[in-house]
Amino acid sequence: MKSTNNVTLADIAQQLDVSIVSVSKALAHKKGVSNMLSRKINQLAKEMGYRQKVHVFDNEKKTTTGNIGILVPARFFSVNTSFYWTLYSALSRELMRSGYYCILEQLSETDEFDLSLPHMIRDKKVDGIIVLGQLSMDYVYYFIKQYFHFIFLDFYINDEQIDTVTTDNFYSEYMITTYLISQGHKDIRFVGTFRATTSIADRCMGFMKAMLENGLPAPPSGIINDRDSHGHICITLPDKMPTAFVCNCDDTAVELINELRKQNLNVPGDISVVGFDNYVRDNAFRPTLTTIEVPQSVTARLASDLIIKKITGNAYTPGNHVVSGRLILRDSVKKIN
C-alpha cells in the first residue's frame, strides 16, 4: 500500500472502481453514497493509510472542506466578458476530477473598495481560492496579507513569491501583429485600455515590439481605449482610419467591427481586425475572427494542479506559470500590397 502522504482520492476510487466524487462524499460522511459503499470506502482508506488533510487558518486546525473557491470581480462577469464563464466551467471540471467542488463568489465593487474578505473565507467554506480576473491593487495587497492558500489566474503582480497562471500575452500579441505586418499592413492601431489589466498591458507591449522591430510607428498616443473603469466596452473610432486594428480581446474586436459597420466600412475589405482569446459569443458572427487561442483546458488543469498542491502541502514550483497561445487564421484579415 502507498504511504499516507501519497494516497489520494483517485487512488481509493481506482481500487473500488468508483468515482472520485463518491469517495469524497463517503470520507466526508455526506449524502449521495449508499451506506454499504461508504463503509467500503472508509475501510479501504484506513487500510491504505489515507487521512483527511488539515491546514491552518486563523491559527486553528480544521479538516478539509473539499471545496475550492473561485473569486471573480463582478465586473468580469458582465455580458461583455463571458469568456470567464467558460474558463470557470473548465476549472470546475478539472477540480471535480481531483475530488474538489467549486464555490463561485463574485466580489462586488463595494466589497473590493471597502477591502472586505470574501464570504467563503470568512465562513471557512473553502480550502483555497483561485482569483480569476484583475483585482484593484489596494485589494490585492490587502488580500495577500489576510490569506495564504490562493493563486491568481489571468493576472499577476510584481512579486515573484505570488503564485499565478497567465497566458503568454506579450509574445502572443507580438505574433499576431507580426502576422498582420507580413500581410502588408503598416498603419496599425492597438485597441485596449492599457492600465485596465496586466493582460491588456502585456498585449499592448507585444504589439509595440512587433511594430518597432519592423520600423513602424507605435506611439503611446496611438492606443485606443476600449473600456471604462467598470469594465464596460465603449470604443470611439479615430478620425484617420488605419489599415488594421489589433484588439486586446475578441469581445472588443466584435464591438469594433460593429462600430465600423455603422460607418459603412467593411471587414476585411476596407479594414482588417484581429482579436485575442478565440472566443466569440455569436457563432454566426461574420467575418470569422483571426485571433489568438487561449487553451482553456490547459490553463484550468495547470491552475487546478497548482492550487491543490499548495493547499495539501505537496511540492510545486512557485511563482508565475505561463501558458502559450496559438495563432488562429480566419477571414478578418486582408492581404494588401
Side-chain angles (χ1 to χ4, degrees):
M1 292 292 180
K2 292 187 177 184
S3 65
T4 300
N5 291 334
N6 293 328
V7 176
T8 66
L9 298 179
D11 295 325
I12 301 171
Q14 185 176 20
Q15 289 282 336
L16 293 174
D17 193 24
V18 297
S19 70
I20 295 175
V21 175
S22 296
V23 175
S24 177
K25 286 183 177 180
L27 295 177
H29 303 290
K30 294 181 178 179
K31 295 180 180 180
V33 182
S34 68
N35 291 334
M36 181 179 294
L37 180 56
S38 180
R39 284 195 295 270
K40 285 184 179 180
I41 291 172
N42 279 276
Q43 180 61 35
L44 180 60
K46 183 178 180 180
E47 293 173 0
M48 295 178 70
Y50 177 84
R51 293 177 183 173
Q52 293 280 56
K53 302 177 181 66
V54 299
H55 65 265
V56 176
F57 176 74
D58 289 343
N59 298 320
E60 296 179 4
K61 283 190 175 182
K62 66 186 287 294
T63 57
T64 180
T65 65
N67 301 323
I68 300 294
I70 310 295
L71 180 67
V72 187
R75 60 185 173 278
F76 289 115
F77 257 22
S78 70
V79 66
N80 288 324
T81 51
S82 47
F83 168 78
Y84 279 126
W85 279 109
T86 58
L87 186 51
Y88 165 73
S89 297
L91 284 168
S92 180
R93 288 192 298 272
E94 288 298 327
L95 289 168
M96 179 70 76
R97 204 167 300 180
S98 298
Y100 288 86
Y101 293 94
C102 266
I103 294 181
L104 173 66
E105 182 173 334
Q106 294 188 48
L107 181 68
S108 70
E109 291 189 13
T110 300
D111 283 345
E112 189 171 3
F113 180 81
D114 291 340
L115 303 182
S116 298
L117 276 177
H119 294 279
M120 54 189 168
I121 292 179
R122 284 181 275 164
D123 296 338
K124 301 180 182 180
K125 296 295 186 182
V126 294
D127 299 331
I129 285 183
I130 297 174
V131 181
L132 176 57
Q134 183 91 40
L135 296 167
S136 68
M137 293 311 297
D138 286 343
Y139 195 88
V140 165
Y141 290 121
Y142 168 76
F143 183 83
I144 63 180
K145 287 180 180 179
Q146 302 296 322
Y147 195 69
F148 173 73
H149 291 131
F150 70 89
I151 66 169
F152 291 155
L153 178 54
D154 202 39
F155 82 104
Y156 63 91
I157 64 173
N158 186 25
D159 187 339
E160 68 276 8
Q161 301 300 317
I162 301 300
D163 300 316
T164 63
V165 176
T166 60
T167 302
D168 191 350
N169 294 296
F170 178 86
Y171 180 73
S172 296
E173 201 72 286
Y174 168 83
M175 178 168 53
I176 201 168
T177 305
T178 300
Y179 167 71
L180 275 175
I181 295 170
S182 75
Q183 298 304 296
H185 295 275
K186 297 182 179 180
D187 186 3
I188 311 172
R189 299 282 294 273
F190 180 82
V191 186
T193 303
F194 185 85
R195 296 184 181 277
T197 68
T198 56
S199 296
I200 295 177
D202 287 350
R203 292 170 192 180
C204 182
M205 296 303 292
F207 161 80
M208 295 181 74
K209 172 177 166 45
M211 295 291 284
L212 295 173
E213 192 173 82
N214 286 276
L216 301 175
S221 59
I223 298 172
I224 300 171
N225 290 334
D226 74 324
R227 64 193 66 201
D228 60 22
S229 60
H230 302 287
H232 301 140
I233 293 178
C234 181
I235 303 169
T236 301
L237 295 174
D239 294 330
K240 182 181 180 297
M241 291 293 179
T243 65
F245 289 99
V246 173
C247 297
N248 76 89
C249 68
D250 287 353
D251 282 317
T252 291
V254 169
E255 293 300 320
L256 176 66
I257 291 172
N258 289 332
E259 288 298 317
L260 291 171
R261 285 173 176 164
K262 294 176 184 177
Q263 302 295 322
N264 295 317
L265 293 170
N266 177 260
V267 177
D270 299 312
I271 297 176
S272 295
V273 175
V274 298
F276 202 110
D277 290 335
N278 194 28
Y279 178 80
V280 175
R281 296 189 303 276
D282 183 1
N283 292 328
F285 185 82
R286 295 294 181 271
T288 54
L289 201 59
T290 292
T291 188
I292 294 292
E293 180 182 56
V294 179
Q296 292 191 350
S297 59
V298 175
T299 303
R301 193 173 305 122
L302 179 57
S304 300
D305 182 64
L306 187 61
I307 189 63
I308 290 172
K309 285 181 177 177
K310 186 169 184 175
I311 66 177
T312 56
N314 287 309
Y316 72 96
T317 302
N320 188 25
H321 300 252
V322 180
V323 179
S324 298
R326 183 168 69 98
L327 180 61
I328 305 293
L329 302 180
R330 296 199 182 100
D331 300 331
S332 62
V333 174
K334 176 184 177 181
K335 186 171 184 178
I336 62 177
N337 295 324

PDB file of all heavy atoms in Angstrom, residues 18 22 25 40 45 71 80 96 105 116 118 135 157 160 164 200 243 253 280 303 306 316 324 330:
ATOM      1  N   VAL A  18     -14.909   3.281  -8.501  1.00  0.00           N
ATOM      2  CA  VAL A  18     -15.988   4.244  -8.269  1.00  0.00           C
ATOM      3  C   VAL A  18     -15.451   5.634  -8.619  1.00  0.00           C
ATOM      4  O   VAL A  18     -14.271   5.816  -8.882  1.00  0.00           O
ATOM      5  CB  VAL A  18     -16.490   4.215  -6.807  1.00  0.00           C
ATOM      6  CG1 VAL A  18     -17.093   2.867  -6.485  1.00  0.00           C
ATOM      7  CG2 VAL A  18     -15.364   4.563  -5.835  1.00  0.00           C
ATOM      8  N   SER A  22     -17.679  10.151  -5.351  1.00  0.00           N
ATOM      9  CA  SER A  22     -18.242   9.203  -4.371  1.00  0.00           C
ATOM     10  C   SER A  22     -17.299   9.019  -3.187  1.00  0.00           C
ATOM     11  O   SER A  22     -17.722   8.972  -2.024  1.00  0.00           O
ATOM     12  CB  SER A  22     -18.518   7.857  -5.035  1.00  0.00           C
ATOM     13  OG  SER A  22     -19.510   7.973  -6.024  1.00  0.00           O
ATOM     14  N   LYS A  25     -17.397  12.175  -0.980  1.00  0.00           N
ATOM     15  CA  LYS A  25     -18.618  12.242  -0.172  1.00  0.00           C
ATOM     16  C   LYS A  25     -18.574  11.233   0.984  1.00  0.00           C
ATOM     17  O   LYS A  25     -18.970  11.550   2.115  1.00  0.00           O
ATOM     18  CB  LYS A  25     -19.839  11.972  -1.042  1.00  0.00           C
ATOM     19  CG  LYS A  25     -20.209  13.119  -1.970  1.00  0.00           C
ATOM     20  CD  LYS A  25     -21.476  12.795  -2.757  1.00  0.00           C
ATOM     21  CE  LYS A  25     -21.897  13.979  -3.626  1.00  0.00           C
ATOM     22  NZ  LYS A  25     -23.120  13.679  -4.390  1.00  0.00           N
ATOM     23  N   LYS A  40     -17.224   0.595   2.710  1.00  0.00           N
ATOM     24  CA  LYS A  40     -16.105   0.044   1.929  1.00  0.00           C
ATOM     25  C   LYS A  40     -15.030   1.100   1.683  1.00  0.00           C
ATOM     26  O   LYS A  40     -13.834   0.841   1.815  1.00  0.00           O
ATOM     27  CB  LYS A  40     -16.619  -0.490   0.593  1.00  0.00           C
ATOM     28  CG  LYS A  40     -17.365  -1.802   0.667  1.00  0.00           C
ATOM     29  CD  LYS A  40     -17.743  -2.273  -0.729  1.00  0.00           C
ATOM     30  CE  LYS A  40     -18.471  -3.608  -0.690  1.00  0.00           C
ATOM     31  NZ  LYS A  40     -18.844  -4.064  -2.057  1.00  0.00           N
ATOM     32  N   ALA A  45      -9.772   3.299   2.763  1.00  0.00           N
ATOM     33  CA  ALA A  45      -8.965   4.489   3.046  1.00  0.00           C
ATOM     34  C   ALA A  45      -8.116   4.278   4.292  1.00  0.00           C
ATOM     35  O   ALA A  45      -6.934   4.660   4.340  1.00  0.00           O
ATOM     36  CB  ALA A  45      -9.873   5.701   3.219  1.00  0.00           C
ATOM     37  N   LEU A  71     -12.952  33.154  -6.994  1.00  0.00           N
ATOM     38  CA  LEU A  71     -13.326  34.535  -6.699  1.00  0.00           C
ATOM     39  C   LEU A  71     -13.146  35.383  -7.950  1.00  0.00           C
ATOM     40  O   LEU A  71     -12.048  35.452  -8.508  1.00  0.00           O
ATOM     41  CB  LEU A  71     -12.465  35.097  -5.563  1.00  0.00           C
ATOM     42  CG  LEU A  71     -12.759  36.545  -5.144  1.00  0.00           C
ATOM     43  CD1 LEU A  71     -14.140  36.638  -4.502  1.00  0.00           C
ATOM     44  CD2 LEU A  71     -11.679  37.048  -4.185  1.00  0.00           C
ATOM     45  N   ASN A  80     -20.240  41.399 -21.475  1.00  0.00           N
ATOM     46  CA  ASN A  80     -19.123  41.638 -22.389  1.00  0.00           C
ATOM     47  C   ASN A  80     -17.892  40.812 -22.066  1.00  0.00           C
ATOM     48  O   ASN A  80     -16.925  40.838 -22.819  1.00  0.00           O
ATOM     49  CB  ASN A  80     -18.740  43.128 -22.370  1.00  0.00           C
ATOM     50  CG  ASN A  80     -19.768  43.996 -23.060  1.00  0.00           C
ATOM     51  OD1 ASN A  80     -20.356  43.578 -24.050  1.00  0.00           O
ATOM     52  ND2 ASN A  80     -19.996  45.190 -22.537  1.00  0.00           N
ATOM     53  N   MET A  96     -13.219  19.007 -10.080  1.00  0.00           N
ATOM     54  CA  MET A  96     -14.072  17.861  -9.803  1.00  0.00           C
ATOM     55  C   MET A  96     -13.327  16.553 -10.077  1.00  0.00           C
ATOM     56  O   MET A  96     -13.461  15.571  -9.342  1.00  0.00           O
ATOM     57  CB  MET A  96     -15.339  17.932 -10.655  1.00  0.00           C
ATOM     58  CG  MET A  96     -16.294  16.760 -10.450  1.00  0.00           C
ATOM     59  SD  MET A  96     -17.084  16.794  -8.833  1.00  0.00           S
ATOM     60  CE  MET A  96     -18.291  18.094  -9.078  1.00  0.00           C
ATOM     61  N   GLU A 105     -17.839  32.873  -6.092  1.00  0.00           N
ATOM     62  CA  GLU A 105     -18.281  34.099  -5.431  1.00  0.00           C
ATOM     63  C   GLU A 105     -17.829  35.300  -6.251  1.00  0.00           C
ATOM     64  O   GLU A 105     -16.655  35.403  -6.618  1.00  0.00           O
ATOM     65  CB  GLU A 105     -17.716  34.203  -4.018  1.00  0.00           C
ATOM     66  CG  GLU A 105     -18.192  35.454  -3.288  1.00  0.00           C
ATOM     67  CD  GLU A 105     -17.772  35.506  -1.825  1.00  0.00           C
ATOM     68  OE1 GLU A 105     -17.553  34.425  -1.235  1.00  0.00           O
ATOM     69  OE2 GLU A 105     -17.661  36.619  -1.275  1.00  0.00           O
ATOM     70  N   SER A 116     -13.134  44.125   1.938  1.00  0.00           N
ATOM     71  CA  SER A 116     -13.817  43.075   2.700  1.00  0.00           C
ATOM     72  C   SER A 116     -13.409  41.709   2.174  1.00  0.00           C
ATOM     73  O   SER A 116     -13.453  41.467   0.961  1.00  0.00           O
ATOM     74  CB  SER A 116     -15.338  43.231   2.582  1.00  0.00           C
ATOM     75  OG  SER A 116     -15.767  44.464   3.128  1.00  0.00           O
ATOM     76  N   PRO A 118     -13.708  37.860   1.105  1.00  0.00           N
ATOM     77  CA  PRO A 118     -14.842  37.108   0.557  1.00  0.00           C
ATOM     78  C   PRO A 118     -15.575  36.328   1.657  1.00  0.00           C
ATOM     79  O   PRO A 118     -14.971  35.869   2.626  1.00  0.00           O
ATOM     80  CB  PRO A 118     -14.179  36.154  -0.446  1.00  0.00           C
ATOM     81  CG  PRO A 118     -12.893  36.827  -0.812  1.00  0.00           C
ATOM     82  CD  PRO A 118     -12.446  37.543   0.418  1.00  0.00           C
ATOM     83  N   LEU A 135      -7.834  42.200  -9.889  1.00  0.00           N
ATOM     84  CA  LEU A 135      -8.294  42.934  -8.721  1.00  0.00           C
ATOM     85  C   LEU A 135      -7.619  44.308  -8.676  1.00  0.00           C
ATOM     86  O   LEU A 135      -6.557  44.504  -9.263  1.00  0.00           O
ATOM     87  CB  LEU A 135      -7.930  42.180  -7.439  1.00  0.00           C
ATOM     88  CG  LEU A 135      -8.575  40.807  -7.203  1.00  0.00           C
ATOM     89  CD1 LEU A 135      -7.853  40.097  -6.066  1.00  0.00           C
ATOM     90  CD2 LEU A 135     -10.046  40.962  -6.874  1.00  0.00           C
ATOM     91  N   ILE A 157       1.128  40.251 -10.221  1.00  0.00           N
ATOM     92  CA  ILE A 157       1.686  41.471  -9.670  1.00  0.00           C
ATOM     93  C   ILE A 157       3.202  41.318  -9.643  1.00  0.00           C
ATOM     94  O   ILE A 157       3.733  40.221  -9.857  1.00  0.00           O
ATOM     95  CB  ILE A 157       1.147  41.774  -8.255  1.00  0.00           C
ATOM     96  CG1 ILE A 157       1.575  40.681  -7.266  1.00  0.00           C
ATOM     97  CG2 ILE A 157      -0.353  41.928  -8.273  1.00  0.00           C
ATOM     98  CD1 ILE A 157       1.215  41.018  -5.812  1.00  0.00           C
ATOM     99  N   GLU A 160       7.579  37.889  -7.122  1.00  0.00           N
ATOM    100  CA  GLU A 160       7.867  36.514  -7.562  1.00  0.00           C
ATOM    101  C   GLU A 160       7.406  35.472  -6.557  1.00  0.00           C
ATOM    102  O   GLU A 160       7.394  34.267  -6.862  1.00  0.00           O
ATOM    103  CB  GLU A 160       9.363  36.341  -7.838  1.00  0.00           C
ATOM    104  CG  GLU A 160      10.271  36.405  -6.621  1.00  0.00           C
ATOM    105  CD  GLU A 160      10.643  37.841  -6.234  1.00  0.00           C
ATOM    106  OE1 GLU A 160      10.072  38.787  -6.823  1.00  0.00           O
ATOM    107  OE2 GLU A 160      11.499  38.011  -5.346  1.00  0.00           O
ATOM    108  N   THR A 164       0.885  32.414  -9.707  1.00  0.00           N
ATOM    109  CA  THR A 164      -0.040  32.866 -10.741  1.00  0.00           C
ATOM    110  C   THR A 164       0.000  31.943 -11.952  1.00  0.00           C
ATOM    111  O   THR A 164       0.979  31.240 -12.184  1.00  0.00           O
ATOM    112  CB  THR A 164       0.313  34.292 -11.222  1.00  0.00           C
ATOM    113  OG1 THR A 164       1.624  34.278 -11.816  1.00  0.00           O
ATOM    114  CG2 THR A 164       0.309  35.285 -10.071  1.00  0.00           C
ATOM    115  N   ILE A 200      -3.920  43.200 -20.676  1.00  0.00           N
ATOM    116  CA  ILE A 200      -4.002  44.194 -21.745  1.00  0.00           C
ATOM    117  C   ILE A 200      -2.678  44.928 -21.885  1.00  0.00           C
ATOM    118  O   ILE A 200      -2.191  45.164 -23.001  1.00  0.00           O
ATOM    119  CB  ILE A 200      -5.152  45.186 -21.495  1.00  0.00           C
ATOM    120  CG1 ILE A 200      -6.496  44.459 -21.562  1.00  0.00           C
ATOM    121  CG2 ILE A 200      -5.121  46.321 -22.510  1.00  0.00           C
ATOM    122  CD1 ILE A 200      -7.695  45.343 -21.258  1.00  0.00           C
ATOM    123  N   THR A 243      -5.091  50.732 -41.576  1.00  0.00           N
ATOM    124  CA  THR A 243      -5.492  49.601 -42.420  1.00  0.00           C
ATOM    125  C   THR A 243      -5.862  48.390 -41.578  1.00  0.00           C
ATOM    126  O   THR A 243      -6.496  47.459 -42.064  1.00  0.00           O
ATOM    127  CB  THR A 243      -4.369  49.203 -43.393  1.00  0.00           C
ATOM    128  OG1 THR A 243      -3.238  48.720 -42.651  1.00  0.00           O
ATOM    129  CG2 THR A 243      -3.954  50.392 -44.258  1.00  0.00           C
ATOM    130  N   ALA A 253     -12.980  43.201 -30.333  1.00  0.00           N
ATOM    131  CA  ALA A 253     -12.938  43.106 -31.791  1.00  0.00           C
ATOM    132  C   ALA A 253     -14.350  43.110 -32.381  1.00  0.00           C
ATOM    133  O   ALA A 253     -14.613  43.769 -33.394  1.00  0.00           O
ATOM    134  CB  ALA A 253     -12.189  41.843 -32.207  1.00  0.00           C
ATOM    135  N   VAL A 280     -15.890  34.027 -29.293  1.00  0.00           N
ATOM    136  CA  VAL A 280     -16.922  34.940 -29.788  1.00  0.00           C
ATOM    137  C   VAL A 280     -18.265  34.356 -29.397  1.00  0.00           C
ATOM    138  O   VAL A 280     -18.556  33.186 -29.683  1.00  0.00           O
ATOM    139  CB  VAL A 280     -16.845  35.121 -31.317  1.00  0.00           C
ATOM    140  CG1 VAL A 280     -17.991  35.981 -31.811  1.00  0.00           C
ATOM    141  CG2 VAL A 280     -15.514  35.762 -31.709  1.00  0.00           C
ATOM    142  N   ALA A 303      -3.887  25.506 -13.331  1.00  0.00           N
ATOM    143  CA  ALA A 303      -4.342  26.238 -12.152  1.00  0.00           C
ATOM    144  C   ALA A 303      -4.857  25.291 -11.072  1.00  0.00           C
ATOM    145  O   ALA A 303      -4.568  25.472  -9.882  1.00  0.00           O
ATOM    146  CB  ALA A 303      -5.429  27.237 -12.546  1.00  0.00           C
ATOM    147  N   LEU A 306      -1.991  23.435  -9.441  1.00  0.00           N
ATOM    148  CA  LEU A 306      -1.201  24.335  -8.602  1.00  0.00           C
ATOM    149  C   LEU A 306      -1.874  24.592  -7.258  1.00  0.00           C
ATOM    150  O   LEU A 306      -1.246  24.490  -6.200  1.00  0.00           O
ATOM    151  CB  LEU A 306      -0.979  25.651  -9.343  1.00  0.00           C
ATOM    152  CG  LEU A 306      -0.030  26.674  -8.719  1.00  0.00           C
ATOM    153  CD1 LEU A 306       1.365  26.092  -8.584  1.00  0.00           C
ATOM    154  CD2 LEU A 306       0.012  27.937  -9.576  1.00  0.00           C
ATOM    155  N   TYR A 316       5.664  21.911  -5.230  1.00  0.00           N
ATOM    156  CA  TYR A 316       5.307  22.516  -6.515  1.00  0.00           C
ATOM    157  C   TYR A 316       6.283  23.645  -6.801  1.00  0.00           C
ATOM    158  O   TYR A 316       7.012  24.097  -5.903  1.00  0.00           O
ATOM    159  CB  TYR A 316       3.866  23.041  -6.490  1.00  0.00           C
ATOM    160  CG  TYR A 316       3.653  24.284  -5.661  1.00  0.00           C
ATOM    161  CD1 TYR A 316       3.657  25.551  -6.250  1.00  0.00           C
ATOM    162  CD2 TYR A 316       3.463  24.200  -4.280  1.00  0.00           C
ATOM    163  CE1 TYR A 316       3.471  26.692  -5.484  1.00  0.00           C
ATOM    164  CE2 TYR A 316       3.267  25.341  -3.514  1.00  0.00           C
ATOM    165  CZ  TYR A 316       3.274  26.578  -4.116  1.00  0.00           C
ATOM    166  OH  TYR A 316       3.108  27.710  -3.369  1.00  0.00           O
ATOM    167  N   SER A 324       1.241  29.109 -23.290  1.00  0.00           N
ATOM    168  CA  SER A 324       1.432  29.683 -24.626  1.00  0.00           C
ATOM    169  C   SER A 324       0.117  29.775 -25.389  1.00  0.00           C
ATOM    170  O   SER A 324      -0.757  28.919 -25.255  1.00  0.00           O
ATOM    171  CB  SER A 324       2.421  28.828 -25.435  1.00  0.00           C
ATOM    172  OG  SER A 324       3.687  28.813 -24.822  1.00  0.00           O
ATOM    173  N   ARG A 330      -8.228  33.260 -39.736  1.00  0.00           N
ATOM    174  CA  ARG A 330      -9.569  33.136 -40.296  1.00  0.00           C
ATOM    175  C   ARG A 330      -9.784  34.230 -41.348  1.00  0.00           C
ATOM    176  O   ARG A 330      -8.867  34.490 -42.136  1.00  0.00           O
ATOM    177  CB  ARG A 330     -10.616  33.185 -39.176  1.00  0.00           C
ATOM    178  CG  ARG A 330     -10.504  31.997 -38.189  1.00  0.00           C
ATOM    179  CD  ARG A 330     -11.793  31.817 -37.407  1.00  0.00           C
ATOM    180  NE  ARG A 330     -11.708  30.728 -36.442  1.00  0.00           N
ATOM    181  CZ  ARG A 330     -11.481  30.885 -35.144  1.00  0.00           C
ATOM    182  NH1 ARG A 330     -11.321  32.103 -34.645  1.00  0.00           N
ATOM    183  NH2 ARG A 330     -11.430  29.845 -34.331  1.00  0.00           N
TER     184      ARG A 330
END
